[in-house]
Amino acid sequence: MHLTQRTVDVTDPILDIKDIHVSFDTPDGPVDAVRGVNMKVIPGETVAIVGESGSGKSQAMMATMGLLADNGTVRGSAIYRGTQLIGMSKSDLNKIRGAKITMIFQEPMTSLDPLYSIEFQICEPLRVHGGLSKQAARDRALELLELVQIPNAKDRLKAYPHELSGGQRQRVMIAMALANNPDLLIADEPTTALDVTIQAEILALLADLQKRLGMSILFITHDLGIVDAFADRVYVMRAGQVVEEGPAEQIFNAPREDYTKLLLGAEPDGTKDPVPETAPMVLSANDMVVTFSSGGGFLGGKLREVKAVKDVSLSLQKGQTLGIVGESGSGKSTLGRAILQLLPSDGRVVFADNVISGLSRHQMQAYRRDLQMVFQDPYGSLSPRMTVGEIVTEGLLVHEPGISAKDRDRRATEALRAVDLDPAVRRRFPHEFSGGQRQRIAIARAVILRPTVMVLDEPTSALDRSVQKQIITLLRDIQTELELSYIFISHDLSVVRALSDTVMVMKNGEVVEHGSTANIFNAPTSDYTRHLMRAAFDLKSVLKEHANTIA
């Protein structure tokens, strides 16, 4: 049973998209991202668009909203309540965008301005579109942050995007999108950065807001578990086209197309072969503490200190994968950065019998080749001004400056093939790729240096399930070939189970449980771990409980 059980009238759409085509001009010629797509959204319903990364599901909506990159063109029709959006001037579009139609983007760090506080960024559309006074806008901003369950909402108003976790930033984006009570909310992977427990809360929250506001939701996602519980109707896209559409119940219980069946059957599986007990230790971290300070300074105010990581210790053998899981804000990503000396921290880190904790940036240069990181936000970590080839080979210029341009190009070709990308894409730019494709580019950039340890921070969060399976296989193969050790940070427990030898569960900066993957998943000892497992593997029941609680 879905959260939104409604009978909808498909003859009266709030948004009617007809024969949309989207193409991009690239150095290799035009790329057709969307090819003749037709879609409808009815007032009050939830429509889901699913498909593999690169299927065109996000670009179809970006074109509708007039948000394509400069090298993108669109033709076709997108009518919102009788008004044609395609070809509309920017000034006229701005009267609709942010007020009548709002969008939650896949990558919040590219949408939130790092120079402005959260309060300013939420209040601005309230004052522009809603005409609220400064104080009224601030009161509404606080109400919205509490609505999306940001902890210590009043204090967070003054925070900047970099001071929030990935999941908290996504919740801010949801708050901004809901600020003016929109007619239609387009949500592009809105729960990608969220752990499973918060994901359920956000989905139940959206369902409740939809019911109270009469709002329609167009939900773009690769997570079919969410779609099954949340959507009324589903469009399945592949290679820029809709290959199947229908009520959610029909799509999940009686799909017609083989591609839809493939998506429904895609789930990370298998387990990792354990490393020998005699495998040498390559990395250890003891009593790690990371403290963040805010306030004070020449502007005054009270100095606040928050311990994001509290006395955490771990070890990593050659060829081993340590999975680190926990809710957003639990400190797992901060721990990974601190181990690689990308953040100031207390504690002792030893790599290959060398103490690296406390080394300067210059001193760490000697270890950077062996200690690589794949970040959670692939767009934020890929320079938009560099081609894919330049991005992937950038590390070679630093760590192997003596090799020729021809050899660098050959290595780039090998790395891109290793992550299942056509080497011809090395002449294109990051904005021309989907989130999942950009994550593969980020993995290729790390792998090309043949490191010893890779810290992977949510490397599959932007990928649909079918591509996740490919990336899991890829990471296993690379690990075996190069004898790599991984620290795998994720909120996706099914992926962690498939890749990890051991698992560490974190909450509020502390380790609540640590053991073999089999023991953590089959016989967890803490209530918190059991709570995570239920949210991950019994989502429909959890969503129903949240919906009943709100009701």
Side-chain angles (χ1 to χ4, degrees):
M1 179 177 178
H2 301 295
L3 287 177
T4 50
Q5 289 286 328
R6 289 180 298 278
T7 301
V8 294
D9 180 4
V10 296
T11 65
D12 187 23
I14 187 174
L15 180 66
D16 192 359
I17 295 172
K18 293 182 179 177
D19 199 28
I20 282 284
H21 292 255
V22 178
S23 62
F24 292 94
D25 292 327
T26 75
D28 298 317
V31 174
D32 295 323
V34 180
R35 300 181 291 157
V37 163
N38 299 293
M39 293 180 181
K40 292 182 180 181
V41 182
I42 307 306
E45 78 165 338
T46 297
V47 173
I49 307 176
V50 302
E52 293 180 305
S53 60
S55 64
K57 54 188 186 294
S58 293
Q59 294 302 336
M61 291 305 104
M62 295 291 275
T64 298
M65 294 283 282
L67 296 173
L68 287 178
D70 290 341
N71 67 331
T73 57
V74 56
R75 57 186 174 87
S77 173
I79 298 176
Y80 163 72
R81 291 199 181 278
T83 300
Q84 176 62 257
L85 302 180
I86 304 300
M88 182 179 283
S89 68
K90 183 177 180 181
S91 61
D92 287 336
L93 266 176
N94 283 339
K95 296 174 183 177
I96 296 175
R97 297 185 302 206
K100 299 298 184 181
I101 304 177
T102 57
M103 191 165 185
I104 304 169
F105 293 96
Q106 183 174 352
E107 292 151 346
M109 272 304 278
T110 65
S111 304
L112 295 174
D113 194 317
L115 301 179
Y116 292 98
S117 68
I118 298 303
E119 177 181 347
F120 178 87
Q121 297 188 63
I122 297 178
C123 288
E124 187 70 4
L126 288 169
R127 300 182 70 182
V128 171
H129 294 292
L132 299 186
S133 67
K134 185 175 182 180
Q135 184 58 49
R138 187 184 187 281
D139 292 342
R140 174 64 172 156
L142 178 58
E143 178 187 345
L144 287 164
L145 288 188
E146 290 173 342
L147 192 65
V148 297
Q149 301 171 7
I150 291 281
N152 304 314
K154 190 173 182 179
D155 291 336
R156 289 303 192 183
L157 281 173
K158 299 297 183 183
Y160 289 82
H162 72 273
E163 297 178 289
L164 305 181
S165 70
Q168 290 168 338
R169 288 193 292 264
Q170 193 64 286
R171 279 182 267 178
V172 169
M173 288 297 302
I174 293 171
M176 292 171 65
L178 297 175
N180 288 297
N181 298 331
D183 233 3
L184 171 62
L185 174 66
I186 300 174
D188 188 357
E189 302 281 5
T191 59
T192 292
L194 303 181
D195 59 89
V196 289
T197 56
I198 304 301
Q199 181 182 83
E201 294 171 8
I202 291 296
L203 292 172
L205 171 65
L206 288 174
D208 177 61
L209 290 168
Q210 180 181 43
K211 182 179 179 181
R212 290 197 279 118
L213 302 175
M215 166 179 77
S216 300
I217 297 178
L218 202 159
F219 205 92
I220 304 168
T221 185
H222 64 262
D223 193 326
L224 295 177
I226 292 174
V227 174
D228 187 24
F230 193 62
D232 298 309
R233 291 191 300 114
V234 181
Y235 289 92
V236 181
M237 287 190 66
R238 183 184 191 187
Q241 296 179 307
V242 173
V243 296
E244 186 166 358
E245 64 177 284
E249 186 175 354
Q250 176 229 301
I251 294 293
F252 280 86
N253 296 330
R256 298 184 300 271
E257 299 295 323
D258 289 341
Y259 177 69
T260 307
K261 296 173 185 176
L262 174 68
L263 289 181
L264 292 172
E267 183 72 20
D269 56 9
T271 56
K272 182 182 178 299
D273 294 331
V275 297
E277 292 184 5
T278 56
M281 195 73 64
V282 295
L283 179 74
S284 65
N286 294 288
D287 303 321
M288 297 296 292
V289 176
V290 180
T291 304
F292 292 117
S293 300
S294 62
F298 72 94
L299 294 177
K302 185 178 180 181
L303 181 66
R304 299 187 301 273
E305 289 192 345
V306 177
K307 279 192 175 182
V309 176
K310 308 169 186 176
D311 299 312
V312 174
S313 299
L314 58 85
S315 60
L316 192 65
Q317 294 174 279
K318 188 173 184 178
Q320 183 184 22
T321 299
L322 166 65
I324 305 180
V325 301
E327 294 179 304
S328 61
S330 63
K332 55 188 187 294
S333 295
T334 299
L335 174 63
R337 286 167 169 78
I339 289 171
L340 297 191
Q341 305 302 296
L342 297 174
L343 286 174
S345 61
D346 296 315
R348 178 183 171 89
V349 181
V350 178
F351 167 68
D353 297 325
N354 297 301
V355 177
I356 62 172
S357 45
L359 294 184
S360 67
R361 182 176 179 178
H362 176 72
Q363 291 170 322
M364 276 299 300
Q365 192 69 35
Y367 299 97
R368 289 297 178 210
R369 174 175 183 157
D370 288 313
L371 300 170
Q372 286 290 304
M373 186 162 192
V374 177
F375 292 93
Q376 179 177 355
D377 179 357
Y379 195 85
S381 64
L382 303 180
S383 173
R385 295 181 176 85
M386 297 172 68
T387 66
V388 169
E390 291 169 338
I391 288 168
V392 170
T393 60
E394 186 178 17
L396 294 177
L397 293 173
V398 176
H399 298 289
E400 296 185 37
I403 69 172
S404 66
K406 183 178 180 180
D407 284 338
R408 283 198 304 273
D409 192 58
R410 175 184 56 79
R411 293 271 290 274
T413 296
E414 292 172 355
L416 290 169
R417 281 179 177 154
V419 298
D420 200 26
L421 284 175
D422 185 343
V425 306
R426 63 191 186 279
R427 289 185 289 273
R428 291 164 59 184
F429 291 86
H431 71 266
E432 299 172 44
F433 297 89
S434 68
Q437 290 168 326
R438 288 196 293 265
Q439 195 62 285
R440 294 196 213 182
I441 293 166
I443 294 173
R445 177 175 60 182
V447 167
I448 199 171
L449 293 172
R450 298 165 184 163
T452 301
V453 174
M454 283 176 61
V455 176
L456 300 122
D457 189 358
E458 302 281 6
T460 61
S461 64
L463 306 181
D464 58 87
R465 283 300 193 193
S466 59
V467 179
Q468 277 185 355
K469 291 187 72 170
Q470 298 169 17
I471 293 297
I472 289 170
T473 300
L474 165 69
L475 291 173
R476 284 173 176 160
D477 292 344
I478 291 172
Q479 185 171 46
T480 300
E481 180 182 350
L482 302 180
E483 296 185 297
L484 283 172
S485 300
Y486 293 149
I487 295 177
F488 193 89
I489 301 165
S490 182
H491 65 261
D492 191 327
L493 299 187
S494 60
V495 174
V496 170
R497 179 171 58 184
L499 274 174
S500 302
D501 296 278
T502 58
V503 176
M504 176 185 291
V505 183
M506 292 187 67
K507 182 182 182 182
N508 297 329
E510 298 179 303
V511 176
V512 298
E513 193 163 353
H514 188 187
S516 71
T517 301
N519 286 341
I520 293 293
F521 280 84
N522 299 329
T525 59
S526 77
D527 289 340
Y528 176 70
T529 306
R530 286 191 284 269
H531 180 54
L532 285 181
M533 297 297 171
R534 185 165 180 267
F537 300 113
D538 192 14
L539 179 59
K540 292 183 75 171
S541 296
V542 174
L543 285 176
K544 288 179 184 178
E545 288 179 8
H546 280 293
N548 292 335
T549 300
I550 291 175

